[in-house]
Amino acid sequence: MRIISIVGLKNTGKTSLTGKIIKELTNREFKVASIKHSHHQMEMDHEGTDTYKQMEAGSGFVVGIGGRTYFNINERFDLERILFLIKLIENPDFVVIEGFKAYPYAKIATCEEVKDEYTIKVVNSFEITDYELLELVDLVEERSYDILETLFVNECGYNDASLIGQAFAQGKLDYNPETQAEVNLAIDGVNIGLNRFVSDYLKQTILGVLTPLKIKEYGVENFEDIDITIKNKKE
């Protein structure tokens, strides 16, 4: 999963550019998820609907299932937690974020004022041509990267996840998803970074425990994705 954020000041074309990038990534047959950041109250459901009434009655977590499935959670989640849950539930190729300019992810800026060490390009959203958009999405493919705490490389001098992210965004290091950890860990909602040794150790240990199980009785044929939740109850 790779993450790209579209950032800028108000009325600089963030929303239109976000839509264009999502469309082009989809045209390239990538699976895309998106996040919209707003400083205002946002509702995924509307007053008068049954699910809205359930939320008003006191339910803190409402799920609507029909032609689509949506979640309405009466809580503000941190971006890192949202990204982890997206990866857990859907595992898209790309997550396109509109906003969150202070976060350490590869960014496209729609104005110079928000440019930082994670910015891969500053563009004029209102004047970008179709050809320039294609080049921009090429750059997104090259320099965007996964959840920050999952990053590690073998190069000397890059032991800190934020520095690794900056190096990817600036093109100083090439991001290769195949070399990244295959185990993602969160404890109490906090993403925990794992190096290659720990990641491989956990993977092989868990696979060793699961292999003897009669999983085919449950309609499971292989171990493509494994989700484990451990409740560590305190005495």
Side-chain angles (χ1 to χ4, degrees):
M1 188 175 83
R2 301 187 187 203
I3 302 155
I4 183 70
S5 185
I6 317 304
V7 300
L9 300 180
K10 188 176 181 180
N11 298 323
T12 56
K14 298 189 300 294
T15 300
S16 61
L17 183 61
T18 299
K20 291 175 182 177
I21 290 173
I22 291 173
K23 185 175 181 179
E24 177 55 29
L25 286 170
T26 303
N27 288 342
R28 299 184 184 194
E29 299 186 346
F30 288 116
K31 185 178 181 181
V32 181
S34 60
I35 300 172
K36 165 73 175 182
H37 182 224
S38 175
H39 296 289
H40 305 290
Q41 181 75 13
M42 297 183 70
E43 294 288 348
M44 295 299 291
D45 204 357
H46 303 288
E47 187 172 356
T49 62
D50 292 340
T51 47
Y52 184 90
K53 293 175 183 177
Q54 292 172 7
M55 181 70 74
E56 289 296 295
S59 177
F61 193 115
V62 178
V63 180
I65 302 174
R68 297 180 179 179
T69 300
Y70 66 88
F71 300 87
N72 197 344
I73 305 169
N74 193 22
E75 181 182 350
R76 181 184 175 91
F77 280 11
D78 183 83
L79 176 62
E80 298 297 319
R81 184 59 176 162
I82 295 170
L83 290 170
F84 184 89
L85 293 174
I86 288 175
K87 191 169 188 177
L88 184 67
I89 296 170
E90 197 67 10
N91 196 25
D93 299 306
F94 286 90
V95 178
V96 181
I97 304 172
E98 182 183 338
F100 288 104
K101 59 180 177 286
Y103 279 72
Y105 288 103
K107 303 170 187 173
I108 297 169
T110 55
C111 59
E112 290 282 348
E113 290 87 341
V114 298
K115 181 180 178 181
D116 64 13
E117 58 269 27
Y118 297 94
T119 304
I120 66 174
K121 188 79 172 179
V122 179
V123 301
N124 185 325
S125 176
F126 302 113
E127 297 181 2
I128 188 170
T129 66
D130 291 342
Y131 180 75
E132 289 171 338
L133 178 66
L134 295 179
E135 289 189 323
L136 184 62
V137 177
D138 287 343
L139 200 59
V140 169
E141 285 195 52
E142 292 172 11
R143 299 194 185 179
S144 57
Y145 47 85
D146 207 337
I147 296 171
L148 194 72
E149 292 302 328
T150 69
L151 302 179
F152 64 87
V153 292
N154 295 323
E155 283 80 352
C156 293
Y158 291 100
N159 298 318
D160 179 80
S162 61
L163 294 178
I164 295 172
Q166 290 176 29
F168 287 143
Q170 295 168 12
K172 296 178 181 178
L173 289 175
D174 293 328
Y175 178 72
N176 181 1
E178 300 300 325
T179 65
Q180 298 303 305
E182 295 182 283
V183 175
N184 298 289
L185 174 66
I187 300 176
D188 294 337
V190 179
N191 295 340
I192 306 298
L194 301 177
N195 61 33
R196 172 53 65 87
F197 172 79
V198 176
S199 173
D200 288 347
Y201 177 79
L202 285 175
K203 177 183 175 181
Q204 296 305 322
T205 300
I206 292 170
L207 287 176
V209 171
L210 296 181
T211 299
L213 298 180
K214 300 177 180 180
I215 63 169
K216 291 186 178 180
E217 294 180 1
Y218 297 88
V220 179
E221 297 294 331
N222 49 44
F223 295 107
E224 287 188 6
D225 294 296
I226 301 169
D227 304 326
I228 295 177
T229 301
I230 300 174
K231 296 294 184 183
N232 188 25
K233 295 182 179 181
K234 298 180 179 180
E235 297 297 334

